[in-house]
């Protein structure tokens, strides 16, 4: 039973298109994240939601819009895709409280290729 | 100050050898230091983690050594196996911030 699941696993699309990636976690966690991993394997936080509230919004173009309909789901919509958006996008979740950082659980990633 | 510097970028070790990956940080407010292991086509998975109140943590063949005064921590993989071949990331976090800063990763290859 997959803990953090993302769909789709692969996305190939043309520049200028709009695409979405969906994420669901069944761990009962209250915090979810989107990370971007580029071709050099660098992992960078993009967004984080705690109890459906946006708490981290890194320097990301506003073409990227996250949405958390409930604590178990976090989606990522990308408008007007550019070549530089090609990367692997990881969803993650954690049960962190206000004092102690907890383990991050990652999904298997969604590889986006923009042509 | 928010960076975590990781070295080496890549590492080749013979089967049965010891693999050592190092990380350094600047922000003394970090209070959680995990190591993640990532296999090709998979997401990173927690391998082992340490908090700054201890200097060493061991789980099986994996050990974290933590030097608070030097602001450094390292992962030691004893008796390295070909199945350990993966990319390893150190990370650091501050409780309550929900932000995890990852190192740049080390690609480990263990030769059979």
């Amino acid at each position: 039973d997959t803990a953090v699941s993302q769909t789709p696993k692969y996305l190939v699309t043309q520049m200028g298109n709009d695409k979405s990636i969906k994420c669901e976690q069944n761990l009962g966690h209250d915090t979810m994240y989107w990370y971007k991993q580029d071709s050099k394997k660098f992992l960078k936080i993009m967004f984080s939601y705690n109890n459906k509230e946006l708490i981290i919004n890194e320097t990301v173009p506003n073409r990227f819009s996250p949405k958390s309909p409930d604590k178990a789901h976090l989606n990522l919509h990308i408008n007007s895709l550019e070549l530089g958006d090609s990367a692997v996008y990881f969803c993650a979740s954690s049960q962190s409280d206000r004092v102690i950082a907890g383990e991050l659980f990652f999904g298997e990633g969604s590889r986006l290729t923009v042509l | 100050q928010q960076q975590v510097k990781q070295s080496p970028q890549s590492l080749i070790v013979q089967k049965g050898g010891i693999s050592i990956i190092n990380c350094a940080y600047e922000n003394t407010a970090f209070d959680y230091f995990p190591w993640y292991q990532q296999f090709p086509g998979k997401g990173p998975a927690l391998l082992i983690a340490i908090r700054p109140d201890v200097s060493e943590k061991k789980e099986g063949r994996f050990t974290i050594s933590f030097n608070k005064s030097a602001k450094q921590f390292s992962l030691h993989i004893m008796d390295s196996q070909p199945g350990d071949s993966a990319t390893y990331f150190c990370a650091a976090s501050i409780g309550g911030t929900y932000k995890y800063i990852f190192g740049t990763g080390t690609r480990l290859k263990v030769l059979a």
Side-chain angles (χ1 to χ4, degrees), chain B:
Chain B
Q1 237 207 352
Q2 286 288 76
Q3 280 188 327
V4 176
K5 294 183 181 177
Q6 183 172 347
S7 63
Q9 193 174 1
S10 62
L11 183 60
I12 299 175
V13 171
Q14 293 288 338
K15 180 182 173 183
I18 302 174
S19 305
I20 302 175
I21 305 170
N22 300 299
C23 283
Y25 63 96
E26 288 295 324
N27 190 344
T28 55
F30 286 136
D31 59 8
Y32 177 65
F33 301 90
W35 284 89
Y36 281 81
Q37 180 188 54
Q38 184 180 24
F39 292 106
K42 301 291 184 184
L46 180 69
L47 188 62
I48 186 171
I50 198 168
R51 299 194 191 270
D53 51 346
V54 296
S55 60
E56 187 175 281
K57 184 174 181 181
K58 186 175 180 179
E59 288 182 5
R61 296 184 294 109
F62 301 92
T63 300
I64 299 180
S65 297
F66 184 80
N67 186 330
K68 193 171 180 178
S69 59
K71 291 184 280 187
Q72 294 175 349
F73 59 111
S74 59
L75 176 69
H76 295 235
I77 306 174
M78 312 299 288
D79 187 26
S80 298
Q81 299 296 312
D84 297 331
S85 298
T87 300
Y88 292 81
F89 294 93
C90 62
S93 181
I94 303 171
T97 65
Y98 305 98
K99 193 178 276 193
Y100 298 75
I101 309 299
F102 282 84
T104 49
T106 297
R107 294 188 194 208
L108 170 66
K109 182 165 184 158
V110 181
L111 302 176

Side-chain angles (χ1 to χ4, degrees), chain A:
Chain A
D1 200 18
T2 307
V4 181
S5 57
Q6 305 178 220
T7 54
K9 194 169 169 72
Y10 300 98
L11 271 154
V12 180
T13 190
Q14 298 287 331
M15 266 199 311
N17 284 350
D18 303 340
K19 287 293 175 188
S20 292
I21 307 170
K22 295 187 176 184
C23 179
E24 176 182 2
Q25 54 97 1
N26 63 7
L27 298 167
H29 290 164
D30 61 0
T31 308
M32 296 185 72
Y33 310 76
W34 280 112
Y35 276 83
K36 180 180 179 180
Q37 186 171 51
D38 62 21
S39 57
K40 292 185 178 177
K41 295 282 195 178
F42 296 156
L43 265 170
K44 196 165 179 221
I45 181 82
M46 299 174 70
F47 302 103
S48 177
Y49 273 77
N50 176 255
N51 286 313
K52 301 196 298 174
E53 181 186 341
L54 181 66
I55 54 171
I56 294 176
N57 185 350
E58 290 295 284
T59 313
V60 177
N62 56 17
R63 298 181 295 104
F64 290 78
S65 50
K67 207 163 271 188
S68 181
D70 57 56
K71 284 197 314 183
H73 295 86
L74 179 62
N75 303 322
L76 183 65
H77 187 75
I78 316 169
N79 289 325
S80 305
L81 279 156
E82 299 178 358
L83 292 176
D85 297 333
S86 295
V88 181
Y89 293 85
F90 285 101
C91 177
S93 73
S94 73
Q95 184 62 36
S96 303
D97 64 26
R98 294 193 187 278
V99 177
I100 300 173
E103 179 180 351
L104 278 178
F105 289 79
F106 284 87
E108 295 214 328
S110 297
R111 180 177 292 276
L112 171 64
T113 303
V114 182
L115 303 174

